[in-house]
PDB file of all heavy atoms in Angstrom:
ATOM      1  N   ALA A 409     -53.170 -17.669 148.659  1.00 98.00           N
ATOM      2  CA  ALA A 409     -53.852 -17.452 149.934  1.00 98.00           C
ATOM      3  C   ALA A 409     -54.792 -18.605 150.246  1.00 98.00           C
ATOM      4  O   ALA A 409     -55.237 -19.342 149.355  1.00 98.00           O
ATOM      5  CB  ALA A 409     -54.609 -16.127 149.917  1.00 98.00           C
ATOM      6  N   LEU A 410     -55.113 -18.724 151.527  1.00 98.00           N
ATOM      7  CA  LEU A 410     -55.974 -19.784 152.045  1.00 98.00           C
ATOM      8  C   LEU A 410     -57.058 -19.145 152.910  1.00 98.00           C
ATOM      9  O   LEU A 410     -56.760 -18.501 153.916  1.00 98.00           O
ATOM     10  CB  LEU A 410     -55.132 -20.773 152.863  1.00 98.00           C
ATOM     11  CG  LEU A 410     -55.841 -21.820 153.713  1.00 98.00           C
ATOM     12  CD1 LEU A 410     -56.719 -22.715 152.850  1.00 98.00           C
ATOM     13  CD2 LEU A 410     -54.814 -22.650 154.480  1.00 98.00           C
ATOM     14  N   PHE A 411     -58.317 -19.301 152.493  1.00 98.00           N
ATOM     15  CA  PHE A 411     -59.457 -18.726 153.217  1.00 98.00           C
ATOM     16  C   PHE A 411     -60.320 -19.830 153.814  1.00 98.00           C
ATOM     17  O   PHE A 411     -60.461 -20.914 153.239  1.00 98.00           O
ATOM     18  CB  PHE A 411     -60.302 -17.874 152.264  1.00 98.00           C
ATOM     19  CG  PHE A 411     -61.589 -17.392 152.869  1.00 98.00           C
ATOM     20  CD1 PHE A 411     -61.612 -16.271 153.691  1.00 98.00           C
ATOM     21  CD2 PHE A 411     -62.777 -18.070 152.626  1.00 98.00           C
ATOM     22  CE1 PHE A 411     -62.805 -15.836 154.267  1.00 98.00           C
ATOM     23  CE2 PHE A 411     -63.973 -17.638 153.196  1.00 98.00           C
ATOM     24  CZ  PHE A 411     -63.992 -16.515 154.013  1.00 98.00           C
ATOM     25  N   HIS A 412     -60.917 -19.538 154.979  1.00 98.00           N
ATOM     26  CA  HIS A 412     -61.828 -20.491 155.617  1.00 98.00           C
ATOM     27  C   HIS A 412     -62.925 -19.731 156.347  1.00 98.00           C
ATOM     28  O   HIS A 412     -62.679 -18.681 156.954  1.00 98.00           O
ATOM     29  CB  HIS A 412     -61.061 -21.354 156.637  1.00 98.00           C
ATOM     30  CG  HIS A 412     -61.902 -22.402 157.316  1.00 98.00           C
ATOM     31  ND1 HIS A 412     -62.715 -22.115 158.396  1.00 98.00           N
ATOM     32  CD2 HIS A 412     -62.043 -23.732 157.080  1.00 98.00           C
ATOM     33  CE1 HIS A 412     -63.329 -23.233 158.789  1.00 98.00           C
ATOM     34  NE2 HIS A 412     -62.936 -24.225 158.003  1.00 98.00           N
ATOM     35  N   CYS A 413     -64.158 -20.223 156.252  1.00 98.00           N
ATOM     36  CA  CYS A 413     -65.248 -19.720 157.094  1.00 98.00           C
ATOM     37  C   CYS A 413     -65.832 -20.901 157.863  1.00 98.00           C
ATOM     38  O   CYS A 413     -65.966 -22.005 157.331  1.00 98.00           O
ATOM     39  CB  CYS A 413     -66.306 -18.986 156.282  1.00 98.00           C
ATOM     40  SG  CYS A 413     -66.946 -19.846 154.844  1.00 98.00           S
ATOM     41  N   ARG A 414     -66.160 -20.645 159.127  1.00 98.00           N
ATOM     42  CA  ARG A 414     -66.455 -21.724 160.073  1.00 98.00           C
ATOM     43  C   ARG A 414     -67.919 -21.763 160.486  1.00 98.00           C
ATOM     44  O   ARG A 414     -68.557 -20.726 160.673  1.00 98.00           O
ATOM     45  CB  ARG A 414     -65.591 -21.553 161.330  1.00 98.00           C
ATOM     46  CG  ARG A 414     -65.794 -22.628 162.399  1.00 98.00           C
ATOM     47  CD  ARG A 414     -64.941 -22.387 163.626  1.00 98.00           C
ATOM     48  NE  ARG A 414     -65.128 -23.440 164.603  1.00 98.00           N
ATOM     49  CZ  ARG A 414     -65.336 -23.250 165.893  1.00 98.00           C
ATOM     50  NH1 ARG A 414     -65.368 -22.010 166.382  1.00 98.00           N
ATOM     51  NH2 ARG A 414     -65.507 -24.270 166.717  1.00 98.00           N
ATOM     52  N   TYR A 415     -68.407 -22.979 160.630  1.00 97.00           N
ATOM     53  CA  TYR A 415     -69.686 -23.250 161.273  1.00 97.00           C
ATOM     54  C   TYR A 415     -69.374 -24.088 162.504  1.00 97.00           C
ATOM     55  O   TYR A 415     -68.852 -25.194 162.395  1.00 97.00           O
ATOM     56  CB  TYR A 415     -70.635 -24.002 160.339  1.00 97.00           C
ATOM     57  CG  TYR A 415     -72.017 -24.197 160.903  1.00 97.00           C
ATOM     58  CD1 TYR A 415     -73.021 -23.257 160.674  1.00 97.00           C
ATOM     59  CD2 TYR A 415     -72.319 -25.315 161.686  1.00 97.00           C
ATOM     60  CE1 TYR A 415     -74.281 -23.419 161.203  1.00 97.00           C
ATOM     61  CE2 TYR A 415     -73.578 -25.482 162.225  1.00 97.00           C
ATOM     62  CZ  TYR A 415     -74.557 -24.534 161.976  1.00 97.00           C
ATOM     63  OH  TYR A 415     -75.815 -24.708 162.516  1.00 97.00           O
ATOM     64  N   THR A 416     -69.659 -23.569 163.675  1.00 96.00           N
ATOM     65  CA  THR A 416     -69.240 -24.222 164.918  1.00 96.00           C
ATOM     66  C   THR A 416     -69.966 -25.548 165.134  1.00 96.00           C
ATOM     67  O   THR A 416     -71.198 -25.598 165.151  1.00 96.00           O
ATOM     68  CB  THR A 416     -69.499 -23.305 166.118  1.00 96.00           C
ATOM     69  OG1 THR A 416     -68.756 -22.095 165.953  1.00 96.00           O
ATOM     70  CG2 THR A 416     -69.074 -23.982 167.419  1.00 96.00           C
ATOM     71  N   THR A 417     -69.190 -26.616 165.299  1.00 94.00           N
ATOM     72  CA  THR A 417     -69.743 -27.919 165.681  1.00 94.00           C
ATOM     73  C   THR A 417     -69.109 -28.431 166.974  1.00 94.00           C
ATOM     74  O   THR A 417     -69.741 -29.176 167.713  1.00 94.00           O
ATOM     75  CB  THR A 417     -69.517 -28.962 164.574  1.00 94.00           C
ATOM     76  OG1 THR A 417     -68.103 -29.069 164.290  1.00 94.00           O
ATOM     77  CG2 THR A 417     -70.251 -28.569 163.301  1.00 94.00           C
ATOM     78  N   HIS A 418     -67.868 -28.063 167.225  1.00 93.00           N
ATOM     79  CA  HIS A 418     -67.158 -28.474 168.442  1.00 93.00           C
ATOM     80  C   HIS A 418     -66.469 -27.247 169.038  1.00 93.00           C
ATOM     81  O   HIS A 418     -65.904 -26.432 168.309  1.00 93.00           O
ATOM     82  CB  HIS A 418     -66.101 -29.539 168.144  1.00 93.00           C
ATOM     83  CG  HIS A 418     -66.657 -30.836 167.645  1.00 93.00           C
ATOM     84  ND1 HIS A 418     -67.011 -31.032 166.331  1.00 93.00           N
ATOM     85  CD2 HIS A 418     -66.925 -32.001 168.288  1.00 93.00           C
ATOM     86  CE1 HIS A 418     -67.466 -32.269 166.182  1.00 93.00           C
ATOM     87  NE2 HIS A 418     -67.423 -32.886 167.353  1.00 93.00           N
ATOM     88  N   GLY A 419     -66.494 -27.149 170.349  1.00 96.00           N
ATOM     89  CA  GLY A 419     -65.799 -26.048 171.002  1.00 96.00           C
ATOM     90  C   GLY A 419     -66.560 -24.738 170.908  1.00 96.00           C
ATOM     91  O   GLY A 419     -67.670 -24.658 170.368  1.00 96.00           O
ATOM     92  N   LEU A 420     -65.929 -23.698 171.429  1.00 97.00           N
ATOM     93  CA  LEU A 420     -66.560 -22.389 171.479  1.00 97.00           C
ATOM     94  C   LEU A 420     -66.330 -21.604 170.182  1.00 97.00           C
ATOM     95  O   LEU A 420     -65.397 -21.894 169.423  1.00 97.00           O
ATOM     96  CB  LEU A 420     -65.992 -21.587 172.650  1.00 97.00           C
ATOM     97  CG  LEU A 420     -66.197 -22.165 174.059  1.00 97.00           C
ATOM     98  CD1 LEU A 420     -65.519 -21.271 175.097  1.00 97.00           C
ATOM     99  CD2 LEU A 420     -67.681 -22.325 174.370  1.00 97.00           C
ATOM    100  N   THR A 421     -67.172 -20.631 169.965  1.00 98.00           N
ATOM    101  CA  THR A 421     -66.984 -19.717 168.840  1.00 98.00           C
ATOM    102  C   THR A 421     -66.083 -18.588 169.310  1.00 98.00           C
ATOM    103  O   THR A 421     -66.539 -17.537 169.763  1.00 98.00           O
ATOM    104  CB  THR A 421     -68.346 -19.182 168.351  1.00 98.00           C
ATOM    105  OG1 THR A 421     -69.161 -20.297 167.953  1.00 98.00           O
ATOM    106  CG2 THR A 421     -68.167 -18.244 167.164  1.00 98.00           C
ATOM    107  N   ILE A 422     -64.781 -18.824 169.195  1.00 98.00           N
ATOM    108  CA  ILE A 422     -63.765 -17.875 169.657  1.00 98.00           C
ATOM    109  C   ILE A 422     -62.657 -17.813 168.614  1.00 98.00           C
ATOM    110  O   ILE A 422     -62.514 -18.717 167.771  1.00 98.00           O
ATOM    111  CB  ILE A 422     -63.187 -18.278 171.034  1.00 98.00           C
ATOM    112  CG1 ILE A 422     -62.649 -19.715 170.993  1.00 98.00           C
ATOM    113  CG2 ILE A 422     -64.234 -18.124 172.121  1.00 98.00           C
ATOM    114  CD1 ILE A 422     -62.021 -20.192 172.302  1.00 98.00           C
ATOM    115  N   LEU A 423     -61.847 -16.765 168.676  1.00 97.00           N
ATOM    116  CA  LEU A 423     -60.776 -16.611 167.698  1.00 97.00           C
ATOM    117  C   LEU A 423     -59.793 -17.769 167.730  1.00 97.00           C
ATOM    118  O   LEU A 423     -59.234 -18.155 166.696  1.00 97.00           O
ATOM    119  CB  LEU A 423     -60.036 -15.285 167.923  1.00 97.00           C
ATOM    120  CG  LEU A 423     -60.787 -14.016 167.525  1.00 97.00           C
ATOM    121  CD1 LEU A 423     -59.991 -12.783 167.931  1.00 97.00           C
ATOM    122  CD2 LEU A 423     -61.064 -13.997 166.025  1.00 97.00           C
ATOM    123  N   GLU A 424     -59.566 -18.318 168.905  1.00 98.00           N
ATOM    124  CA  GLU A 424     -58.597 -19.414 169.043  1.00 98.00           C
ATOM    125  C   GLU A 424     -59.031 -20.663 168.279  1.00 98.00           C
ATOM    126  O   GLU A 424     -58.208 -21.542 168.005  1.00 98.00           O
ATOM    127  CB  GLU A 424     -58.386 -19.745 170.514  1.00 98.00           C
ATOM    128  CG  GLU A 424     -57.627 -18.676 171.294  1.00 98.00           C
ATOM    129  CD  GLU A 424     -58.521 -17.528 171.735  1.00 98.00           C
ATOM    130  OE1 GLU A 424     -59.738 -17.547 171.434  1.00 98.00           O
ATOM    131  OE2 GLU A 424     -58.001 -16.599 172.392  1.00 98.00           O
ATOM    132  N   ASN A 425     -60.308 -20.763 167.947  1.00 98.00           N
ATOM    133  CA  ASN A 425     -60.806 -21.916 167.189  1.00 98.00           C
ATOM    134  C   ASN A 425     -61.042 -21.595 165.719  1.00 98.00           C
ATOM    135  O   ASN A 425     -61.589 -22.413 164.983  1.00 98.00           O
ATOM    136  CB  ASN A 425     -62.118 -22.420 167.800  1.00 98.00           C
ATOM    137  CG  ASN A 425     -61.905 -23.129 169.121  1.00 98.00           C
ATOM    138  OD1 ASN A 425     -60.825 -23.656 169.393  1.00 98.00           O
ATOM    139  ND2 ASN A 425     -62.924 -23.134 169.961  1.00 98.00           N
ATOM    140  N   THR A 426     -60.626 -20.404 165.299  1.00 98.00           N
ATOM    141  CA  THR A 426     -60.879 -19.961 163.936  1.00 98.00           C
ATOM    142  C   THR A 426     -59.731 -20.353 163.014  1.00 98.00           C
ATOM    143  O   THR A 426     -58.567 -20.201 163.364  1.00 98.00           O
ATOM    144  CB  THR A 426     -61.089 -18.429 163.916  1.00 98.00           C
ATOM    145  OG1 THR A 426     -62.128 -18.083 164.838  1.00 98.00           O
ATOM    146  CG2 THR A 426     -61.479 -17.957 162.533  1.00 98.00           C
ATOM    147  N   HIS A 427     -60.061 -20.851 161.843  1.00 98.00           N
ATOM    148  CA  HIS A 427     -59.085 -21.244 160.841  1.00 98.00           C
ATOM    149  C   HIS A 427     -58.707 -20.016 159.997  1.00 98.00           C
ATOM    150  O   HIS A 427     -59.478 -19.055 159.942  1.00 98.00           O
ATOM    151  CB  HIS A 427     -59.681 -22.282 159.888  1.00 98.00           C
ATOM    152  CG  HIS A 427     -60.335 -23.448 160.545  1.00 98.00           C
ATOM    153  ND1 HIS A 427     -60.209 -24.738 160.073  1.00 98.00           N
ATOM    154  CD2 HIS A 427     -61.171 -23.544 161.610  1.00 98.00           C
ATOM    155  CE1 HIS A 427     -60.931 -25.561 160.817  1.00 98.00           C
ATOM    156  NE2 HIS A 427     -61.519 -24.840 161.761  1.00 98.00           N
ATOM    157  N   PRO A 428     -57.610 -20.075 159.271  1.00 98.00           N
ATOM    158  CA  PRO A 428     -56.573 -21.105 159.265  1.00 98.00           C
ATOM    159  C   PRO A 428     -55.732 -21.075 160.551  1.00 98.00           C
ATOM    160  O   PRO A 428     -55.595 -20.034 161.187  1.00 98.00           O
ATOM    161  CB  PRO A 428     -55.703 -20.728 158.058  1.00 98.00           C
ATOM    162  CG  PRO A 428     -56.518 -19.785 157.227  1.00 98.00           C
ATOM    163  CD  PRO A 428     -57.377 -19.063 158.203  1.00 98.00           C
ATOM    164  N   PHE A 429     -55.201 -22.236 160.884  1.00 98.00           N
ATOM    165  CA  PHE A 429     -54.276 -22.381 162.006  1.00 98.00           C
ATOM    166  C   PHE A 429     -52.848 -22.441 161.469  1.00 98.00           C
ATOM    167  O   PHE A 429     -52.610 -22.939 160.376  1.00 98.00           O
ATOM    168  CB  PHE A 429     -54.542 -23.684 162.765  1.00 98.00           C
ATOM    169  CG  PHE A 429     -55.858 -23.754 163.471  1.00 98.00           C
ATOM    170  CD1 PHE A 429     -57.000 -24.211 162.818  1.00 98.00           C
ATOM    171  CD2 PHE A 429     -55.969 -23.374 164.799  1.00 98.00           C
ATOM    172  CE1 PHE A 429     -58.215 -24.289 163.473  1.00 98.00           C
ATOM    173  CE2 PHE A 429     -57.176 -23.452 165.469  1.00 98.00           C
ATOM    174  CZ  PHE A 429     -58.304 -23.904 164.799  1.00 98.00           C
ATOM    175  N   ARG A 430     -51.926 -21.961 162.273  1.00 98.00           N
ATOM    176  CA  ARG A 430     -50.524 -22.304 162.019  1.00 98.00           C
ATOM    177  C   ARG A 430     -50.304 -23.696 162.587  1.00 98.00           C
ATOM    178  O   ARG A 430     -50.716 -23.984 163.719  1.00 98.00           O
ATOM    179  CB  ARG A 430     -49.585 -21.310 162.687  1.00 98.00           C
ATOM    180  CG  ARG A 430     -49.660 -19.891 162.106  1.00 98.00           C
ATOM    181  CD  ARG A 430     -48.650 -18.981 162.775  1.00 98.00           C
ATOM    182  NE  ARG A 430     -48.847 -17.586 162.414  1.00 98.00           N
ATOM    183  CZ  ARG A 430     -48.273 -16.979 161.377  1.00 98.00           C
ATOM    184  NH1 ARG A 430     -47.452 -17.661 160.606  1.00 98.00           N
ATOM    185  NH2 ARG A 430     -48.512 -15.700 161.114  1.00 98.00           N
ATOM    186  N   VAL A 431     -49.675 -24.557 161.803  1.00 97.00           N
ATOM    187  CA  VAL A 431     -49.399 -25.905 162.288  1.00 97.00           C
ATOM    188  C   VAL A 431     -48.502 -25.812 163.519  1.00 97.00           C
ATOM    189  O   VAL A 431     -47.503 -25.072 163.517  1.00 97.00           O
ATOM    190  CB  VAL A 431     -48.739 -26.758 161.192  1.00 97.00           C
ATOM    191  CG1 VAL A 431     -48.271 -28.097 161.744  1.00 97.00           C
ATOM    192  CG2 VAL A 431     -49.712 -26.966 160.030  1.00 97.00           C
ATOM    193  N   ALA A 432     -48.885 -26.513 164.563  1.00 95.00           N
ATOM    194  CA  ALA A 432     -48.155 -26.456 165.825  1.00 95.00           C
ATOM    195  C   ALA A 432     -46.678 -26.759 165.609  1.00 95.00           C
ATOM    196  O   ALA A 432     -46.321 -27.789 165.030  1.00 95.00           O
ATOM    197  CB  ALA A 432     -48.756 -27.447 166.822  1.00 95.00           C
ATOM    198  N   GLY A 433     -45.816 -25.846 166.043  1.00 94.00           N
ATOM    199  CA  GLY A 433     -44.377 -26.017 165.905  1.00 94.00           C
ATOM    200  C   GLY A 433     -43.832 -25.616 164.548  1.00 94.00           C
ATOM    201  O   GLY A 433     -42.617 -25.673 164.340  1.00 94.00           O
ATOM    202  N   ARG A 434     -44.709 -25.180 163.624  1.00 95.00           N
ATOM    203  CA  ARG A 434     -44.252 -24.786 162.287  1.00 95.00           C
ATOM    204  C   ARG A 434     -44.945 -23.481 161.883  1.00 95.00           C
ATOM    205  O   ARG A 434     -45.963 -23.487 161.179  1.00 95.00           O
ATOM    206  CB  ARG A 434     -44.539 -25.889 161.269  1.00 95.00           C
ATOM    207  CG  ARG A 434     -43.734 -27.180 161.532  1.00 95.00           C
ATOM    208  CD  ARG A 434     -43.895 -28.148 160.397  1.00 95.00           C
ATOM    209  NE  ARG A 434     -43.443 -27.584 159.137  1.00 95.00           N
ATOM    210  CZ  ARG A 434     -43.637 -28.186 157.949  1.00 95.00           C
ATOM    211  NH1 ARG A 434     -44.252 -29.355 157.894  1.00 95.00           N
ATOM    212  NH2 ARG A 434     -43.212 -27.620 156.838  1.00 95.00           N
ATOM    213  N   PRO A 435     -44.435 -22.366 162.327  1.00 94.00           N
ATOM    214  CA  PRO A 435     -45.101 -21.084 162.083  1.00 94.00           C
ATOM    215  C   PRO A 435     -45.190 -20.692 160.617  1.00 94.00           C
ATOM    216  O   PRO A 435     -45.985 -19.809 160.266  1.00 94.00           O
ATOM    217  CB  PRO A 435     -44.226 -20.090 162.859  1.00 94.00           C
ATOM    218  CG  PRO A 435     -42.895 -20.760 162.996  1.00 94.00           C
ATOM    219  CD  PRO A 435     -43.189 -22.218 163.110  1.00 94.00           C
ATOM    220  N   ASN A 436     -44.414 -21.327 159.750  1.00 96.00           N
ATOM    221  CA  ASN A 436     -44.454 -21.009 158.326  1.00 96.00           C
ATOM    222  C   ASN A 436     -45.320 -21.974 157.522  1.00 96.00           C
ATOM    223  O   ASN A 436     -45.189 -22.060 156.292  1.00 96.00           O
ATOM    224  CB  ASN A 436     -43.047 -20.967 157.739  1.00 96.00           C
ATOM    225  CG  ASN A 436     -42.302 -19.710 158.171  1.00 96.00           C
ATOM    226  OD1 ASN A 436     -42.909 -18.650 158.329  1.00 96.00           O
ATOM    227  ND2 ASN A 436     -41.005 -19.837 158.365  1.00 96.00           N
TER     228      ASN A 436
END
């Protein structure tokens, strides 16, 4: 598993900016 906790420095504090991300074009 891969865990991340965020401290906002750029952009809004929203779910869309929360890690982990799926790599664009590679859902796996």
Side-chain angles (χ1 to χ4, degrees):
L410 169 60
F411 172 82
H412 182 278
C413 51
R414 180 181 182 227
Y415 185 91
T416 300
T417 57
H418 296 81
L420 299 178
T421 301
I422 55 178
L423 287 174
E424 290 82 0
N425 287 335
T426 305
H427 309 220
F429 294 88
R430 294 183 190 270
V431 172
R434 294 189 59 189
N436 286 326

